[in-house]
Amino acid sequence: NTDKAQNFLKKAVELDSANVIYRNHLAEFQLNRNEYTAAYFNYRYLIENDPENSYYYKMLGKTLSKMPASSVFQTIRLNENNKKSNQSELNLEEGKSEMFDNMHLLFADQAFEKAYTLNNDDIESRLLQNEYLLKSNLASADLTIRESIALFPTNRLFLMQGIKVAYRLKDYNDVLNKCDLFYNIHDSNLVVQQIHGMSCYQLKKYAKADSLLNNVVREEINSEIVHYYLGLINSEMEKYAKAAEYIETAVRLATSENLGVYYPQLGYIYERSSDYKEAIKNLKLAYSSTNEPVLLYHLARNYDQLYEDKSTALKYYMQFEAKKDSSNIEFLNYSTTRIQELKALEHFSK
């Protein structure tokens, strides 16, 4: 079994510590079993003894990419304090690795960069670097992915990474450009179509967005995010019944953390379609989830429209005014004016 195999490898390394084959197999075992600190030390040892081996740098990058930053620095400190270890010592005061000639290899992207520098045919290292940066540093990810696409303009995976980083940077026109490039080279892809559709929505290209996301939802029938965006799109196209149907499906599919996003939109859709009772129901659910002040304003507006008795509407207007929501000055000004009108109406009706 794997425990016995790992123990044999450990014993083999103890008996022949310079044997890179044994040590490499041991490091791979440790990485696959989430023993990241042990794997880290073994890959550092292998690099010290063969600093031009790109594979070792790539595997060090994989190890570091799976370790939380705090664990990385704890591992570095452990290595510094363990003077009797067979592993290399690091100059922490300088923040540099002596065996890497001023290279800071404390982070995965630097290890992947070194692997690719040593072997330009190792596209996997560049892909792994890009994926790591997508999680940790979008600006750097954008730069390295653009470089990757320039070097490998027909590579499907680099193009998909470019589409993802452009979307996360909210550069929606760049998303559309990269999607067009992707379609010219590769078959359509549901992930690409989804991001393309959501970007079209952001650019107010509602018909195109609707077409793309309908392609996706036919295959991904349980995707709450696609149903949610189709609801937003149809609301903008003033197809309110269809919009409500999509958002209600998103609510049904949703995890609890997303309900605070979906209920307000459902409330707004019903408000725009003059279905004030349904709007009130969903806005109340939204406010109980989020406590967003602007929802008080919308509740006030819907009560104001629905009932002749304005007391509940007045209550919500006053609650919204008390929140002093400076991000919605227009709503705040309207509420102040409407409170005065309703109070005057209340006074003269006595």
Side-chain angles (χ1 to χ4, degrees), residues 210-339:
D210 187 57
S211 174
L212 286 162
L213 293 183
N214 268 295
N215 289 341
V216 176
V217 83
R218 278 194 286 270
E219 300 295 329
E220 302 287 342
I221 60 173
N222 292 321
S223 172
E224 62 174 277
I225 189 67
V226 175
H227 281 93
Y228 172 66
Y229 267 89
L230 281 166
L232 297 180
I233 290 161
N234 279 273
S235 178
E236 294 294 340
M237 296 168 72
E238 299 185 0
K239 298 177 181 179
Y240 298 122
K242 205 168 185 180
E245 182 182 334
Y246 280 124
I247 299 287
E248 285 171 353
T249 302
V251 168
R252 179 172 54 79
L253 295 170
T255 57
S256 58
E257 65 186 25
N258 291 333
L259 291 174
V261 176
Y262 299 157
Y263 280 132
Q265 291 299 331
L266 196 52
Y268 300 153
I269 288 167
Y270 281 122
E271 181 179 353
R272 292 173 70 179
S273 64
S274 302
D275 189 344
Y276 302 120
K277 281 188 177 180
E278 284 297 314
I280 288 168
K281 182 179 79 174
N282 284 282
L283 290 167
K284 282 184 172 180
L285 288 168
Y287 188 69
S288 68
S289 298
T290 66
N291 289 320
E292 283 291 324
V294 71
L295 296 170
L296 295 170
Y297 169 79
H298 285 282
L299 279 165
R301 289 279 291 165
N302 280 275
Y303 271 105
D304 205 355
Q305 293 289 330
L306 184 61
Y307 296 108
E308 289 186 14
D309 181 352
K310 304 298 183 184
S311 58
T312 304
L314 177 61
K315 178 187 75 173
Y316 280 116
Y317 281 128
M318 292 176 68
Q319 287 181 9
F320 176 66
E321 185 185 47
K323 296 289 185 180
K324 301 186 185 304
D325 183 7
S326 60
S327 63
N328 288 287
I329 294 296
E330 183 180 347
F331 292 167
L332 191 58
N333 291 338
Y334 179 88
S335 296
T336 301
T337 301
R338 190 60 177 150
I339 287 168

Side-chain angles (χ1 to χ4, degrees), residues 62-202:
K62 287 184 177 182
T63 303
L64 286 164
S65 70
K66 295 178 181 294
M67 297 172 70
S70 58
S71 296
V72 175
F73 287 108
Q74 287 172 5
T75 299
I76 299 297
R77 291 191 183 96
L78 175 64
N79 190 45
E80 173 70 4
N81 293 331
N82 189 5
K83 301 300 184 183
K84 295 181 180 179
S85 169
N86 287 330
Q87 319 306 326
S88 295
E89 297 176 6
L90 300 178
N91 185 342
L92 289 182
E93 290 183 3
E94 297 294 330
K96 298 174 182 176
S97 167
E98 293 173 352
M99 66 183 179
F100 293 128
D101 298 323
N102 300 332
M103 189 176 175
H104 290 234
L105 275 178
L106 302 181
F107 299 102
D109 65 297
Q110 296 160 329
F112 292 134
E113 178 70 27
K114 183 68 173 179
Y116 181 72
T117 301
L118 291 170
N119 180 7
N120 293 152
D121 293 326
D122 184 10
I123 292 178
E124 184 190 13
S125 288
R126 180 50 68 95
L127 285 165
L128 288 167
Q129 180 186 19
N130 294 345
E131 284 298 323
Y132 177 78
L133 289 171
L134 275 167
K135 299 174 184 176
S136 60
N137 188 328
L138 284 181
S140 294
D142 186 45
L143 179 62
T144 62
I145 291 169
R146 286 180 187 278
E147 290 174 352
S148 301
I149 292 172
L151 291 168
F152 305 97
T154 62
N155 186 287
R156 175 177 177 273
L157 296 177
F158 285 138
L159 286 171
M160 287 189 67
Q161 288 178 333
I163 291 165
K164 289 177 182 178
V165 74
Y167 184 80
R168 292 182 61 189
L169 289 169
K170 300 182 179 181
D171 189 347
Y172 302 118
N173 283 308
D174 191 35
V175 172
L176 269 57
N177 291 335
K178 286 189 169 73
C179 286
D180 287 341
L181 183 58
F182 185 94
Y183 299 142
N184 287 335
I185 299 167
H186 304 284
D187 293 334
S188 62
N189 173 290
L190 290 178
V191 174
V192 173
Q193 287 187 71
Q194 179 176 326
I195 299 172
H196 191 181
M198 293 189 299
S199 298
C200 285
Y201 165 77
Q202 299 293 345

